[in-house]
Structures are given as structure tokens and as C-alpha cells.
Amino acid sequence: MTSSPDGAYEELLRLSRDTTLLGSCGQLLQWDAEICMPHDGVKHRSDQMALLAGLVHDRATDHRFEDLLAAAESSPLADEVDSVEAVSIREIRRSFDRETKLPRQLVEELARVSALSAQAWSDARDRNDFRSFAPWLDKTFELAREKADAFGFVETRYDALLEDYEPGMTTSQLSTLFAHLREGLVPLVDSLRDSSASTSEAQAARDFPLDRQREFSEGIARSIGFTADGGRFDLGPHPFCATIGPGDVRIALRYHRDNFASGFLAVMHEMGHALYEQGLDASHYGTPMGETASLGIHESQSRLWENLVGRTRGFWRHYYPPLQKVFPESLSDVSLDSFRRDMNRVAPGLIRVEADEVTYNLHIVIRFELERALLSGDLRAADLPSAWTELYARYLGITPDTDRTGCLQDIHWSEGLIGYFPTYTLGNVYAAQLFAAADRDIGPLEDAFAAGEFTGLREWLRENIHRHGKRFPAAALIEKATGSAPDPSALIASLTDRYRPAS
């Protein structure tokens, strides 16, 4: 046993780095499973993932952590609460205490079922057959209940699972936030229904060849700051960003030949995630200072670049002329204003990832309500399609015709990611505040975008968000960066100001 506090601290970091390094192998296996693994490889992959999850769990709960943490916590290294050392000690303690509550057998079963369930979801989605997937959904939520019970909770199981994604956030706080958003957004959506129906159809029935979409969109990501030597783009069944480790951040995308905006905005979204990962200090990899603050903060970066940059007039003043040259057959007769009206069209739709800014959070409200009901047992998997339809009718005034466009559209629940969905809305809330603060500090940002200048915003985010790692909890980080605690009023005000019908 290392006797000095400095020695104990260094050994603590070494164990943390080794655990993270081993866990990164699982990220690579997961990426491979979603991008290029043969269909029939899923059973073997599930065994690999279960074994690896067990090995990572063994590392994360190594008894040496307890002794090393005790030595470091009682040393002067822990005194300055925001120092690199104190943050590392605090967050490694949090992770260790949480991980030790989970039995290894449960960890392995969660990983195994997740791999099998994700493939079952994909097959069911292709066949538009929710009934075949329902037993897997029941199993996933059964394991989620076991996991929550192992962690322990004060008010509700959902709190225990939220902690994985947004530490410190509670179901009660989210319920208040969503109530606030519903109050502000439902009337705004209703006020836009008639006007949205008559918006431009600039891109309707037009052709955008996929190879040219990829070249244009991925080129913009690189010009904004995505480091190509430290990342790659691939095609996949759904957009996502995966970090394998320093210098290896991967983006999966999908494009639609008849819908340029869908693919392009997905690039901007995943690029935002990637910029955060590439903005972390690689020298702290494997320790809390080299990790992202929370999933809500992560989503704030993706939603900011997607919506508050990629939809703006300033951005397209710069990029629309080049876009017209890439797609002269489809856009040469379409004005910038018509193009932007079409891209920013507000109309309730069935698909979350293709939703406009105004209606997007209502999609998340629906999932928040449904997964809580599934977790509590008040809703059975077999009854999910009807419950889904009921909530879509209530909040968006539309109903899905198929399971594929309804409750089979998202992969999250099949992978056991219960408590994940609310972080999308938290990301929108945080993004609105961050953008306003950056515009105040270094703006006007729209003028910079019109000049093709994005360095100022990127570096402001690196200085105020990325470089801090896990130094601050999400709420404290937002307050430090913007001067205000997280508040959904900023998001409602931003959306109302940009989308309300002209009087």
C-alpha cells in the first residue's frame, strides 16, 4: 500500500485510467455492432459485452480504491474543492460507491440483454412489428427496476436511474420543468399550426443525391472545427456519436435523398457532441477532469450547434450560395428566405429526430411520462402502442399509423437507457442560456456566422464548458458560464421570439 497522500492519489488515478481504458473496448464493440457487425453475430457479441462489462465492474470495484480514496480524502489534496485533485477524488468516490452497489451478475445481464434487445428492436422496426419486441421491453424494464433497487432511492426508482445521466437531477425537478415547458410551448405550437401549413415547400419533391449531401455536410463540420485526424464519419441506421478514446471520436449519420435538412441537421447535432469530446483535455483521459460534465451538458452542445447555429439566417447567408452550387437542379430557383422557411417549418410530426425546435420537447415529455409508467409497472409493454398514440394525440394532435413511426422509432429503451430522454430537453434549456451568454460576451454571433467565422463560439464553449470536465455539477457549470441558474424561461423566450407569428 502506498503510504504518502501523493502516492495514493497517483495510484488512484492509475486505477481510474485502467478502468476507463478497459471500458473503452466496450465502446468500440458497441460502435461495431451498430455500424458493421453481421446480423448473425449478435449472440456472440452479447456474450462479449457481458464478459467485458463484468471485467470492467471488477476493476471499478477493486478493493484498492477504498484504501486509496480514504488516504486521498484525508489529505490536503482534497481541501480545495474545485482543484483537479479534489474533483478527481470526489468523482472517483462517487463512481466507486455507486458501482459497488451493483452485483456483478446484474451488470453482466444488463450488458447481455442490451445487446440482444437492440438487435430485436432493429428487426422489429424493420418488420413494423412491436409485438415481437414487447417481451424484450418487459425484460429491459425488469432489469432497470433491479438496477434502481440496487442503487437505492428516496422517492422513486426513476431518480436512481437519472443519476447515471444527470447527477443531482430528480424526477420532481424534471416534472416541474416539463410542466413549465408545456405551459409555454403547447400554445405556441397551436398558434403556428395554420401558418406552418402554408410555409414554403422549397425542398418538397426535390432530389439531393446522397454522395453530395455527405461531402457538403461533413465538409462544414470539418470547417467549423471537427478534427478529421481525430475522428471519422460513417453511415448507420440512426445518427450517433461514439468516443472510443482520445483521438478517436466517431460520428454515424443517415441521409435522405428527398430531405436535405434531416441529414444536415443530424451532422450539426452529432458534430456538437464530437466538438465537446475533442475539446476535453486528453492529458486527463481516464480521470474525472477528462470526462464530460453530464449528458444534459453534452446535449446542450449538440442542440446548440444544430438549432442555434445551423438553422440561423447568418449561417445560411454564408453557406447557402455554396449549397446552391452543389445542388443546382434542386435549389437554383429557391431563395434563401424560402429555403430557411422550409428548414425552420413548425409542424407537429411523428419522428422525434426530425422534429422542429418548437415541438421537439413535447416528444421528450411523452417519453418521460411513458418510461416512468413502464418503470413503475403501471404500464405494460404490450400496452405501449396505445399509450403512445394517446399522448401524441394529446400533446401534438397527431397519431402514428405504424409502430415504426410510433413506439419503435427510438433505440434507447432497447439498450436499457432508462432516464436518458429528459437530458435532451435539459440540453435545450442549457443551450438557450449558453448561446445567449456567448452572444453577450463575444457577439453578435449571427454576424460572425455570416462571415463564416465560428472560432469565437467554439473557443468560448471550450473555455466555459469543455475544459472543466467534471469540475462542476451541471447546474453550477451553467450558472458559472452564463451568470444564471438553469431556467427553462430562456428556452421559451428564445423559441417565442424566433417563431411567433407576425402580428
Side-chain angles (χ1 to χ4, degrees):
M1 177 67 191
T2 305
S3 57
S4 72
D6 286 348
Y9 176 73
E10 291 304 320
E11 180 66 8
L12 189 64
L13 294 190
R14 187 189 70 77
L15 288 178
S16 177
R17 290 189 178 102
D18 285 350
T19 304
T20 304
L21 188 61
L22 184 61
S24 72
C25 299
Q27 293 294 324
L28 184 58
L29 287 174
Q30 184 67 34
W31 173 86
D32 175 80
E34 298 201 36
I35 299 302
C36 54
M37 184 186 75
H39 179 279
D40 291 348
V42 64
K43 175 60 172 65
H44 180 65
R45 181 55 48 86
S46 71
D47 292 339
Q48 288 179 309
M49 295 298 286
L51 176 60
L52 183 57
L55 293 173
V56 172
H57 179 72
D58 289 345
R59 287 262 186 171
T61 57
D62 190 315
H63 67 87
R64 288 177 293 174
F65 272 110
E66 187 63 77
D67 294 335
L68 294 168
L69 280 166
E73 287 166 338
S74 62
S75 76
L77 293 173
D79 291 346
E80 190 177 341
V81 293
D82 293 336
S83 69
V84 170
E85 295 80 8
V87 170
S88 297
I89 294 166
R90 179 193 75 214
E91 292 299 319
I92 292 174
R93 164 61 77 184
R94 175 186 173 276
S95 179
F96 175 75
D97 287 350
R98 192 163 170 80
E99 193 72 22
T100 53
K101 293 177 180 178
L102 297 178
R104 189 183 200 272
Q105 182 178 359
L106 176 59
V107 170
E108 291 181 333
E109 184 67 1
L110 284 162
R112 179 180 295 106
V113 169
S114 173
L116 294 170
S117 177
Q119 185 61 61
W121 165 82
S122 181
D123 292 343
R125 183 170 175 267
D126 288 344
R127 297 192 306 266
N128 191 32
D129 176 23
F130 176 78
R131 183 178 299 178
S132 66
F133 175 63
W136 286 103
L137 193 61
D138 276 328
K139 180 63 175 175
T140 295
F141 274 90
E142 176 187 334
L143 289 173
R145 286 189 284 273
E146 288 186 41
K147 184 179 179 182
D149 290 344
F151 282 142
F153 53 91
V154 176
E155 294 185 4
T156 173
R157 283 189 174 118
Y158 198 74
D159 287 345
L161 302 181
L162 278 174
E163 192 71 12
D164 277 343
Y165 310 109
E166 198 70 8
M169 182 58 64
T170 67
T171 308
S172 176
Q173 290 172 318
L174 282 174
S175 297
T176 299
L177 181 147
F178 281 127
H180 189 164
L181 287 174
R182 280 197 303 269
E183 183 179 336
L185 293 180
V186 171
L188 181 59
V189 171
D190 288 342
S191 73
L192 294 169
R193 286 183 191 275
D194 293 338
S195 60
S196 66
S198 60
T199 55
S200 166
E201 295 183 357
Q203 298 181 63
R206 309 225 177 191
D207 185 41
F208 298 88
L210 302 183
D211 57 341
R212 282 187 266 166
Q213 283 195 58
R214 287 196 68 181
E215 183 177 2
F216 179 82
S217 301
E218 294 168 18
I220 287 181
R222 287 189 287 269
S223 70
I224 288 175
F226 177 75
T227 305
D229 288 343
R232 59 177 288 134
F233 295 101
D234 290 282
L235 297 179
H238 66 99
F240 70 96
C241 177
T243 299
I244 312 303
D248 192 353
V249 179
R250 307 184 183 196
I251 293 177
L253 299 163
R254 68 180 178 197
Y255 297 91
H256 304 281
R257 190 159 185 143
D258 61 349
N259 188 340
F260 168 80
S262 176
F264 173 75
L265 291 171
V267 172
M268 293 294 286
H269 181 99
E270 302 306 336
M271 179 204 71
H273 284 304
L275 290 179
Y276 191 2
E277 295 287 347
Q278 292 184 335
L280 297 171
D281 188 339
S283 68
H284 288 301
Y285 175 73
T287 75
M289 286 298 295
E291 298 173 357
T292 57
S294 76
L295 202 51
I297 296 294
H298 224 312
E299 289 300 332
S300 77
Q301 304 304 284
S302 60
R303 298 295 288 175
L304 185 151
W305 285 101
E306 174 190 356
N307 293 323
L308 300 174
V309 179
R311 293 180 184 271
T312 63
R313 181 175 181 79
F315 181 92
W316 287 109
R317 279 176 57 195
H318 181 74
Y319 279 116
Y320 190 57
L323 182 66
Q324 287 180 303
K325 291 179 180 178
V326 173
F327 300 107
E329 311 94 328
S330 297
L331 296 177
S332 61
D333 61 340
V334 178
S335 69
L336 170 60
D337 286 342
S338 292
F339 174 81
R340 282 199 63 246
R341 279 197 301 271
D342 200 61
M343 174 168 277
N344 291 296
R345 181 171 178 259
V346 176
L350 295 170
I351 308 301
R352 174 186 61 85
V353 297
E354 296 176 3
D356 59 80
E357 280 188 274
V358 180
T359 62
Y360 183 90
N361 294 297
L362 297 178
H363 290 262
I364 303 304
V365 170
I366 291 168
R367 286 154 178 78
F368 174 62
E369 294 189 12
L370 290 173
E371 68 180 1
R372 288 170 60 203
L374 286 164
L375 185 66
S376 69
D378 292 340
L379 176 66
R380 298 182 308 150
D383 297 324
L384 178 62
S386 59
W388 186 282
T389 297
E390 179 186 343
L391 288 182
Y392 263 79
R394 183 190 308 170
Y395 291 135
L396 289 164
I398 54 176
T399 56
D401 295 327
T402 66
D403 292 338
R404 185 184 293 114
T405 58
C407 58
L408 279 176
Q409 65 179 271
D410 298 304
I411 194 174
H412 302 62
W413 290 339
S414 73
E415 293 186 330
L417 303 178
I418 317 303
Y420 187 119
F421 279 119
T423 65
Y424 288 116
T425 287
L426 290 172
N428 286 329
V429 170
Y430 300 158
Q433 292 180 255
L434 289 170
F435 190 86
D439 191 67
R440 181 181 66 235
D441 291 350
I442 59 171
L445 289 174
E446 283 244 22
D447 291 348
F449 301 161
E453 172 54 55
F454 303 94
T455 304
L457 176 59
R458 187 188 70 229
E459 295 307 309
W460 188 92
L461 291 169
R462 285 187 173 171
E463 173 66 21
N464 289 279
I465 300 296
H466 306 175
R467 73 179 180 90
H468 288 298
K470 283 187 174 295
R471 176 175 277 128
F472 304 109
L477 182 60
I478 292 300
E479 185 163 6
K480 182 176 178 60
T482 70
S484 301
D487 184 354
S489 298
L491 174 60
I492 294 172
S494 174
L495 292 172
T496 302
D497 182 61
R498 288 182 290 123
Y499 285 95
R500 63 187 168 192
S503 55

